[in-house]
Amino acid sequence: MTETITSRPVRTAAPGAPAALGGLGLFTVLLAAALPLVDFFIVNVALPTIGTDLSASEAVLELVVAGYGVAYAVLLVLGGRLGDLFGRRRLFLGGMAAFGLTSLACGLAPDAWSLVAARVAQGASAAAMLPQVLATIQATTTGPRRAKAMGLYGATAGLSMVAGQILGGVLVAADIAGTGWRSVFLVNVPVVLAGLFLAVRAVPETRSARPEPVDVPGTFLLAASILTLLVPLTEGRAAGWPLWTWLSLAAFPFVAAAFYAVERRADRAGRTPLVPPSLFAIVSLRRGLLLIVPFSIGFSGFMFVIAVALQQQGAGLGPVAAGLALAPLAVVFFLFSLAGPRLVARYGTRVVPTGAALQGVGLALMTLAAWRSWPDLGLVELLPGAAVAGAGQALQLPVVLRLVLSEVPAERAGVGSGVMVTTQQSSLALGVATLGTLFLSLIPGMGMRDALVTTLLVQLAAVALTGLLSLRLPRTIV
């Protein structure tokens, strides 16, 4: 990775002449990009242990996952705007430092509600840090260097999602110094310290040439839109679907419509709203975001469901075995993502529908394995399907993430990256809320095996939708 990009001294980027992002700087921002995604998935296999140790109910455990994901999704676009306004390196360093402190708070939480609060704060700090990664890449690279950097970002994002779940299982089982589940959060602290040291040396400062003030009405309405959708879907089943969940869901389309109206009015008035509707005139961004939604919903839902199904009342595996069952997916994803840039250069975005087809085949094989082998489901039984699905995902995610921002102007890099990551993160949270809720709701009536098979078939429909949407992508990437 560091051999393909020349390292240069760190300096503040002047408008129109941004500093180059060197190899060490690229490694540093990719390390930071991995942290929030790893932490979204790392708790999946740790939840049973957390519940036992902290005497937490199922609803509270869901908040451990949802509190992080919702806070992260709500504040991402604001984080991108603040980076444009005050400097992306400054926000990157502040967000990373806060992520380390909140990870420490998670690891030392004395009770379940303290853990939930720390996870919300951890999600907020991730929202300050992550948009600066993509914005910095957009502002400090061009041409083949940008293509390479974005390809590596996409590979890092995909690999982090799977690696987080594997790492969580290993750390819980290792019980380092008696820390048990706490180690899944404490492991972030030394990584953050190393990242801060490298960032000070290697990440250049950039900011928008024409920064706009924070769009307060837009920020409030975007947060309200995400909260009215994700909170009831995440907590509704465990809470017994009380009246407030239905009222919140009913309010969502009206709040979302108000957000769009406010943003469109600000855009037409010549101001820069939080999410400029004019940004969606870029075909590559609009169609890429539309594809990210079903992909991310299916991916996160699958990761959550398989973690639950393989443990305790399901297949009865321990945290290590449950995590390692997806190791073939991670390994093949990594290998195929390395070949992605060459395939895109030769075949363009046609590799994306090919990837969707492969992912569908892999998911079908895993569904068949669950049907035939239950409850003896583990690494061996899932290996063929996981390997094929990993190859398919590697041909989709890095390419689409690169495509979305390929034509976004450098001065809107923070806004564009915030919109993309918000779409991805909201969809990840939505996947856990929808597919996870479906799976857990089906278990009492159908049993674990049939509930798992049914949920995987629903995800297969999402993969088919992804494949159909990918046919509308621009054939080439700028």
Side-chain angles (χ1 to χ4, degrees):
M1 177 169 68
T2 59
E3 294 175 355
T4 59
I5 299 178
T6 304
S7 179
R8 298 183 184 178
V10 174
R11 61 180 177 86
T12 300
L21 184 66
L24 186 60
L26 179 59
F27 172 81
T28 304
V29 296
L30 292 180
L31 177 67
L35 283 172
L37 288 170
V38 166
D39 261 66
F40 185 85
F41 291 95
I42 200 170
V43 298
N44 281 349
V45 292
L47 286 176
T49 309
I50 293 173
T52 301
D53 189 33
L54 299 182
S55 301
S57 66
E58 185 179 341
V60 175
L61 287 178
E62 289 190 5
L63 279 176
V64 171
V65 178
Y68 175 86
V70 172
Y72 186 19
V74 163
L75 296 172
L76 273 165
V77 179
L78 178 62
R81 171 61 63 83
L82 292 176
D84 288 349
L85 187 62
F86 296 111
R88 293 157 188 150
R89 181 173 181 265
R90 182 180 300 179
L91 262 291
F92 179 81
L93 291 170
M96 180 175 275
F99 191 85
L101 291 173
T102 52
S103 296
L104 181 63
C106 289
L108 299 178
D111 54 60
W113 285 107
S114 297
L115 178 59
V116 170
R119 283 284 282 174
V120 171
Q122 189 186 34
S125 64
M129 174 177 64
L130 188 62
Q132 318 317 324
V133 173
L134 285 166
T136 297
I137 290 174
Q138 286 293 105
T140 58
T141 60
T142 58
R145 291 170 54 148
R146 178 182 294 177
K148 180 70 172 179
M150 286 302 299
L152 289 171
Y153 172 84
T156 300
L159 188 60
S160 298
M161 298 178 196
V162 185
Q165 201 141 309
I166 297 172
L167 180 62
V170 172
L171 287 173
V172 170
D175 194 21
I176 302 170
T179 55
W181 61 266
R182 299 177 186 274
S183 61
V184 305
F185 302 112
L186 296 176
V187 71
N188 292 332
V189 177
V191 177
V192 164
L193 291 174
L196 288 171
F197 174 78
L198 294 174
V200 169
R201 295 171 55 88
V203 176
E205 179 65 283
T206 65
R207 68 182 69 202
S208 175
R210 296 184 298 276
E212 294 281 344
V214 172
D215 173 14
V216 176
T219 301
F220 174 78
L221 287 170
L222 176 62
S225 299
I226 295 174
L227 288 171
T228 54
L229 177 64
L230 292 183
V231 172
L233 286 177
T234 303
E235 287 297 300
R237 186 197 61 83
W241 297 106
L243 179 62
W244 71 263
T245 60
W246 298 108
L247 292 176
S248 180
L249 289 172
F252 165 70
F254 298 101
V255 179
F259 169 69
Y260 177 75
V262 167
E263 298 298 273
R264 184 177 60 178
R265 184 164 58 248
D267 209 10
R268 289 177 174 177
R271 301 190 301 272
T272 302
L274 188 70
V275 180
S278 59
L279 200 65
F280 294 92
I282 302 173
V283 175
S284 56
L285 179 138
R286 184 176 68 250
R287 294 183 180 176
L289 290 178
L290 191 61
L291 193 147
I292 283 174
V293 172
F295 181 92
S296 298
I297 288 175
F299 190 94
S300 64
F302 167 77
M303 296 295 287
F304 176 80
V305 166
I306 204 71
V308 174
L310 291 179
Q311 295 186 86
Q312 291 190 345
Q313 290 86 4
L317 301 181
V320 174
L324 290 179
L326 297 178
L329 192 154
V331 172
V332 176
F333 182 99
F334 175 72
L335 294 175
F336 270 72
S337 64
L338 294 178
R342 292 192 297 274
L343 293 172
V344 171
R346 183 170 181 179
Y347 300 107
T349 59
R350 285 176 292 179
V351 301
V352 179
T354 302
L358 282 174
Q359 185 186 0
V361 171
L363 189 60
L365 289 173
M366 285 189 281
T367 304
L368 182 61
W371 176 262
R372 296 179 61 181
S373 302
W374 189 265
D376 300 318
L377 192 64
L379 172 63
V380 174
E381 291 77 19
L382 291 174
L383 192 153
V388 176
Q393 289 168 341
L395 295 179
Q396 296 175 81
L397 184 62
V399 179
V400 174
L401 294 182
R402 174 184 162 190
L403 174 72
V404 168
L405 295 180
S406 61
E407 297 179 272
V408 175
E411 63 270 16
R412 285 189 161 185
V415 176
S417 62
V419 169
M420 186 187 80
V421 181
T422 297
T423 302
Q424 182 187 25
Q425 183 60 39
S426 299
S427 300
L428 289 174
L430 193 58
V432 174
T434 53
L435 291 179
T437 296
L438 172 66
F439 172 65
L440 295 172
S441 300
L442 292 176
I443 291 174
M446 301 179 67
M448 185 73 75
R449 185 196 71 169
D450 290 351
L452 175 60
V453 169
T454 301
T455 307
L456 291 179
L457 290 175
V458 172
Q459 191 205 342
L460 193 58
V463 173
L465 177 60
T466 302
L468 290 174
L469 291 173
S470 68
L471 298 174
R472 301 185 70 244
L473 293 176
R475 288 299 183 192
T476 59
I477 301 178
V478 177

